[in-house]
Amino acid sequence: MPHLRKRMLVYLVSLTFGLSCQNEKQTMTIHDSPVAKKIKKELTIHNDIRVDDYYWMNNREDPEVIAHLERENAYYEKLTAHTKHFQEELFEEMKGRIKEDDASVPYKKNGYWYVTRYETGKEYPIYSRHKGSLGSPEEIMFNCNDMAEGHEFFNLGGIAISPDNKLAAFGIDTVSRRQYTIQIKNLETGEIYSDVIENTTGGSVWANDNKTLFYSKKDPVTLRSDKIYRHIFGTKAAEDIMVFHEEDETFGTYVYKSKSNKYLIIGSYSTLTSEFRTLNAETPYADFQIFSPRERGLEYSIAHYDDAFYVLTNKDKAKNFKLMKVGESNTTSEHWKEFIPHRDDVLLEDIDIFKDYYVLSERENGLNKLKISRWDKSDSYYLPFESETYTAYVSTNPEFDTDTLRYAYNAMNTPSSVIDFNMRTKEKVVKKEQEVLGGKFKKENYKSERIWATARDGVKIPMSLVYHKDTKINGKTPVLQYAYGSYGSTIDPYFSTVRLSLLDRGFVYVIAHIRGGQYLGRNWYEDGKLLKKKNTFTDFIDCSKYLIENKYTSADHLYAMGGSAGGLLMGAIVNMAPELYNGVIAAVPFVDVITTMLDDSIPLTTGEYDEWGNPHEKEYYDYMKSYSPYDNVKPQDYPNILVTTGLHDSQVQYFEPAKWVAKLRELKTDTNLLLFDINMDAGHGGASGRFESLKEVAKEYAFLLDLEGKIG
């Protein structure tokens, strides 16, 4: 727990001095802040000229760029020096709630029980297995703590076990650019073979012959996964055969195996369109066959069972998706037959298939629902959930011939549980409930609720809240409002042990389920993208106004936070309604929308046109320009702002926030804090260790709590 005594004197001195000299400190902020040099660059398209004085930052190899980023880091360190001890306390506090020697609930696959576990004091997981039963000797497949030695960043992903259980293909990223090197390990002898396949997504899949491996490779510049290769175990990667090339730059591709183990499947995806190819896993040298040719706007996914495929699709204007069925021989869309019809008020999100049952993942009025049905139609029912601020989802279920469904459940005030549910007897067993250590947490001490704000166009916007029962809700209550709001990605109400450090200090935590996500169905997404993107921003602002008007908080105590595309949201709201917030955290923010979307050499750009629009078309260019955070910075007062990024970020390039911060420093008219923290070793996800990442959260929370005068 916090080392309070150790730093109490330092804190009291800094608090006394800080309160009496706040204006002096903030004046120092303006005069001492890093000033980026300006090199005028004109960017012209559609007869429109944009001047970008900080375009020069788009070069990671330029020593001047690195020097500027290092000045920003030094400035951040200087202005947050008085919070360093408190950050350490927060870190120890958050770490103290985590069970260090934790382990996942074992799952069974192909005769082995698989476990992921952690050891006390160690940052990384250990992947192990037991043959036949959990009582058999442990076989350690990968100890990531040993593998990570000597690396500032380490991530192991895409473990693929061969059908005979003897080999494991795995991917490693030590840069945080999401470019993985695949290798193969003998799980019986421990030998790692000389097969080395670079620049992949990390994922791979074995054919049924135990020697043929399929994997996806990335374009070295754009990092788009565009090719599928076939590798023969024991040969050199240079000899691998390309079996599919996704030439459309707006699509990515991947490869996987059906749960039935009968088919190898190549998927091609864009925001609006999908396409699949299949190959019998017994004949890996044959050609993949198109399942159903791509049609713009037609999305589908496939699951194999018995002699048929089940197709989850938006065909025939089924915006919330429906389930269709087709035989193995003629799989094109004209042969699909309706199995579960489309419903206007229920989003069909997924299907999981078992020998005697299928399980539908649905969303109605924003809430997760799991429906279990027998194939023979003798029984069908929903699992009961009562809260309005919960998350429930199907967990790991690799076994096909079983009556047991494993699912997970948590709520904003209830730790996560992993539950095994017998679909035949309807009995459930809680296999594990997340332990919250430290001796202070009791879920009955926290309240959670869902409220609805009215947006300016009359639409009701839901928000999920959680707070300590002793927190008094009034105009002085600090509130952290979080949202994402893009790609149809839904941020469900979830439990967080880390968040307790805010709740226990009087904060209310709010998730705003704004348009651009898919919380209230597919239309919720459609109304927050492309030429309706501004709904995402105005929804968030209108939620903020609701919280203020209804005395949950006030502008002096309201804070906003978002990352990546949610960082775009933060950039937009501080331009549009800066007066509503005392502080804003923009993590790895996507803020230079036009420049990025015009540069098809940047990772993700071409695949994003259906989300944001293509600025090569004037209509989309003009609309983007009207909200792009970087293009709309202007002389005005801004809230206190903390911006974070990673130098090696492959999703949102570091230079976007770097340029944005430089322009804010140039134009803002206030004396509020503007801090920029750059992780020089990591990328989009930040630090890789489970505890190292907590240090980044501690920085963010210290920023908020310092503004609230709650340090200590």
Side-chain angles (χ1 to χ4, degrees):
M1 298 307 291
H3 303 303
L4 194 55
R5 292 190 185 89
K6 179 179 177 183
R7 61 163 305 276
M8 181 58 75
L9 180 60
V10 175
Y11 167 65
L12 289 173
V13 170
S14 65
L15 180 63
T16 303
F17 181 79
L19 289 176
S20 61
C21 301
Q22 186 178 26
N23 291 333
E24 180 180 338
K25 183 177 78 170
Q26 294 185 336
T27 301
M28 177 195 72
T29 299
I30 290 178
H31 293 317
D32 293 358
S33 61
V35 177
K37 69 177 182 181
K38 297 170 66 173
I39 302 177
K40 183 177 180 180
K41 183 175 180 64
E42 293 186 351
L43 303 169
T44 305
I45 188 172
H46 305 303
N47 294 317
D48 182 60
I49 299 174
R50 290 183 303 127
V51 175
D52 188 348
D53 291 325
Y54 304 108
Y55 189 88
W56 64 272
M57 293 184 184
N58 182 0
N59 183 0
R60 189 185 294 105
E61 306 304 319
D62 184 347
E64 286 195 56
V65 172
I66 299 301
H68 175 72
L69 297 180
E70 288 175 343
R71 285 194 296 273
E72 284 284 5
N73 272 344
Y75 179 69
Y76 168 81
E77 293 295 329
K78 180 178 181 180
L79 265 70
T80 60
H82 66 289
T83 73
K84 289 305 178 186
H85 290 294
F86 183 58
Q87 288 179 34
E88 293 170 9
E89 291 169 9
L90 284 173
F91 169 73
E92 293 296 337
E93 179 178 299
M94 293 184 288
K95 181 181 176 183
R97 297 192 192 100
I98 297 173
K99 191 175 189 297
E100 292 200 35
D101 57 343
D102 204 2
S104 65
V105 178
Y107 68 87
K108 190 177 182 182
K109 184 177 182 181
N110 198 20
Y112 280 81
W113 288 92
Y114 289 87
V115 180
T116 302
R117 63 180 179 84
Y118 289 87
E119 293 182 343
T120 300
K122 300 295 182 66
E123 291 277 357
Y124 295 98
I126 296 170
Y127 296 96
S128 65
R129 65 179 187 173
H130 301 260
K131 185 175 182 179
S133 71
L134 289 169
S136 65
E138 179 187 43
E139 301 176 18
I140 293 180
M141 300 185 297
F142 301 99
N143 187 333
C144 294
N145 299 289
D146 296 338
M147 300 169 73
E149 287 186 7
H151 299 291
E152 291 291 338
F153 178 92
F154 178 86
N155 189 37
L156 180 144
I159 299 173
I161 310 297
S162 61
D164 63 6
N165 293 310
K166 294 181 180 179
L167 301 174
F170 61 99
I172 290 177
D173 174 15
T174 57
V175 179
S176 190
R177 288 280 288 174
R178 302 189 185 186
Q179 291 172 286
Y180 289 81
T181 298
I182 292 177
Q183 295 178 270
I184 298 172
K185 182 175 183 177
N186 187 313
L187 294 177
E188 295 180 330
T189 66
E191 178 183 1
I192 295 179
Y193 294 104
S194 58
D195 309 53
V196 176
I197 309 169
E198 296 180 338
N199 192 33
T200 77
T201 62
S204 61
V205 61
W206 293 93
N208 289 349
D209 63 0
N210 299 295
K211 67 177 183 180
T212 309
L213 189 73
F214 292 84
Y215 63 92
S216 48
K217 203 169 180 69
K218 290 190 168 189
D219 181 285
V221 177
T222 67
L223 303 188
R224 179 173 69 95
S225 55
D226 63 343
K227 298 181 180 72
I228 305 295
Y229 281 84
R230 182 179 65 220
H231 175 78
I232 309 302
F233 172 54
T235 65
K236 294 181 179 180
E239 301 171 7
D240 292 354
I241 302 297
M242 185 177 69
V243 298
F244 175 65
H245 181 196
E246 180 49 76
E247 296 183 352
D248 190 325
E249 292 183 348
T250 67
F251 280 73
T253 187
Y254 58 100
V255 62
Y256 68 102
K257 201 173 196 178
S258 65
K259 186 174 178 178
S260 65
N261 292 318
K262 183 175 181 179
Y263 288 98
L264 300 164
I265 302 172
I266 292 175
S268 291
Y269 64 93
S270 71
T271 303
L272 296 176
T273 309
S274 48
E275 181 183 66
F276 291 87
R277 288 167 166 76
T278 62
L279 174 65
N280 192 304
E282 298 289 346
T283 59
Y285 298 100
D287 294 328
F288 281 83
Q289 301 298 314
I290 293 180
F291 186 86
S292 188
R294 67 189 65 178
E295 304 172 40
R296 179 164 175 79
L298 177 64
E299 298 176 64
Y300 71 93
S301 59
I302 58 178
H304 177 254
Y305 171 69
D306 199 13
D307 59 353
F309 286 94
Y310 289 82
V311 185
L312 185 65
T313 180
N314 66 346
K315 188 176 186 292
D316 306 319
K317 299 181 179 180
K319 273 197 171 184
N320 277 336
F321 289 78
K322 61 182 177 179
L323 193 64
M324 305 186 82
K325 180 180 178 180
V326 68
E328 290 179 297
S329 54
N330 296 306
T331 58
T332 52
S333 61
E334 64 265 24
H335 299 288
W336 299 354
K337 304 296 182 184
E338 191 169 275
F339 186 73
I340 294 176
H342 173 261
R343 290 160 288 175
D344 290 331
D345 57 348
V346 178
L347 175 66
L348 184 56
E349 294 186 317
D350 204 359
I351 180 174
D352 286 85
I353 287 175
F354 300 84
K355 180 175 181 291
D356 295 322
Y357 302 87
Y358 62 92
V359 180
L360 300 179
S361 297
E362 302 175 349
R363 186 182 296 275
E364 184 175 10
N365 195 32
L367 305 180
N368 303 128
K369 300 179 73 175
L370 300 179
K371 185 179 183 180
I372 298 169
S373 301
R374 288 188 65 96
W375 290 109
D376 63 11
K377 300 182 180 180
S378 63
D379 199 10
S380 181
Y381 55 92
Y382 285 94
L383 292 178
F385 304 116
E386 297 177 358
S387 171
E388 279 196 330
T389 58
Y390 72 90
T391 300
Y393 57 92
V394 174
S395 184
T396 306
N397 291 274
E399 290 288 272
F400 177 70
D401 188 3
T402 178
D403 290 334
T404 301
L405 167 71
R406 176 165 292 174
Y407 72 94
Y409 174 89
N410 70 89
M412 292 190 82
N413 58 351
T414 305
S416 302
S417 295
V418 177
I419 299 163
D420 279 358
F421 180 81
N422 189 304
M423 295 180 282
R424 178 176 52 83
T425 66
K426 301 181 182 177
E427 296 174 323
K428 72 176 185 179
V429 177
V430 178
K431 303 296 291 185
K432 180 180 180 180
E433 182 172 342
Q434 179 184 5
E435 292 185 60
V436 183
L437 303 183
K440 291 186 176 182
F441 174 77
K442 294 180 181 179
K443 57 187 175 185
E444 58 268 25
N445 286 339
Y446 299 87
K447 294 182 177 181
S448 184
E449 58 183 298
R450 186 168 65 163
I451 60 176
W452 299 75
T454 301
R456 59 197 66 186
D457 60 358
V459 173
K460 297 290 187 181
I461 312 296
M463 292 181 277
S464 298
L465 284 66
V466 65
Y467 52 93
H468 195 281
K469 68 176 184 179
D470 294 336
T471 296
K472 291 180 172 59
I473 306 298
N474 55 45
K476 296 182 180 180
T477 307
V479 170
L480 176 59
Q481 182 182 336
Y482 172 84
Y484 185 72
S486 292
Y487 303 105
S489 179
T490 298
I491 306 299
D492 283 308
Y494 64 98
F495 180 80
S496 166
T497 63
V498 172
R499 189 191 299 144
L500 296 174
S501 290
L502 287 181
L503 304 186
D504 291 348
R505 290 175 172 84
F507 265 78
V508 177
Y509 186 88
V510 178
I511 299 174
H513 304 291
I514 54 182
R515 282 174 284 187
Q518 214 159 238
Y519 185 79
L520 290 179
R522 188 67 173 188
N523 283 332
W524 206 244
Y525 172 40
E526 301 288 347
D527 286 345
K529 63 186 290 194
L530 295 173
L531 298 175
K532 296 181 179 180
K533 188 63 210 171
K534 287 183 184 178
N535 283 338
T536 300
F537 316 138
T538 56
D539 281 0
F540 191 92
I541 291 169
D542 292 341
C543 285
S544 299
K545 290 180 177 178
Y546 177 92
L547 293 169
I548 292 170
E549 291 167 1
N550 288 273
K551 306 300 182 184
Y552 283 88
T553 188
S554 63
D556 289 337
H557 300 282
L558 179 58
Y559 302 89
M561 181 175 181
S564 194
L568 162 66
L569 169 64
M570 296 299 103
I573 66 165
V574 296
N575 284 333
M576 296 169 67
E579 73 282 356
L580 295 180
Y581 309 96
N582 188 39
V584 172
I585 298 175
V588 290
F590 172 43
V591 284
D592 189 11
V593 182
I594 298 177
T595 307
T596 291
M597 294 304 297
L598 283 171
D599 187 351
D600 58 14
S601 72
I602 293 176
L604 299 183
T605 291
T606 55
E608 304 283 277
Y609 290 155
D610 288 332
E611 179 71 24
W612 312 103
N614 184 347
H616 292 283
E617 300 176 25
K618 189 174 188 305
E619 180 182 28
Y620 290 109
Y621 173 86
D622 290 341
Y623 190 73
M624 284 182 189
K625 188 177 179 182
S626 71
Y627 71 75
S628 173
Y630 183 61
D631 292 286
N632 286 279
V633 175
K634 57 192 174 186
Q636 66 175 0
D637 286 359
Y638 282 88
N640 297 285
I641 300 175
L642 169 63
V643 183
T644 66
T645 194
L647 181 63
H648 300 286
D649 197 327
S650 62
Q651 310 301 106
V652 178
Q653 305 296 312
Y654 73 91
F655 47 79
E656 288 199 42
K659 291 164 51 177
W660 182 48
V661 168
K663 194 170 183 180
L664 282 169
R665 291 205 190 285
E666 175 191 354
L667 295 178
K668 75 189 194 84
T669 56
D670 57 87
T671 59
N672 290 328
L673 293 170
L674 175 57
L675 303 176
F676 189 24
D677 182 28
I678 307 105
N679 188 326
M680 303 297 282
D681 298 311
H684 199 63
S688 56
R690 60 172 174 158
F691 299 131
E692 281 299 310
S693 61
L694 293 179
K695 293 180 180 178
E696 297 182 356
V697 179
K699 288 181 176 182
E700 295 168 350
Y701 283 9
F703 172 75
L704 299 173
L705 292 162
D706 188 28
L707 291 174
E708 276 297 306
K710 289 180 177 288
I711 286 189

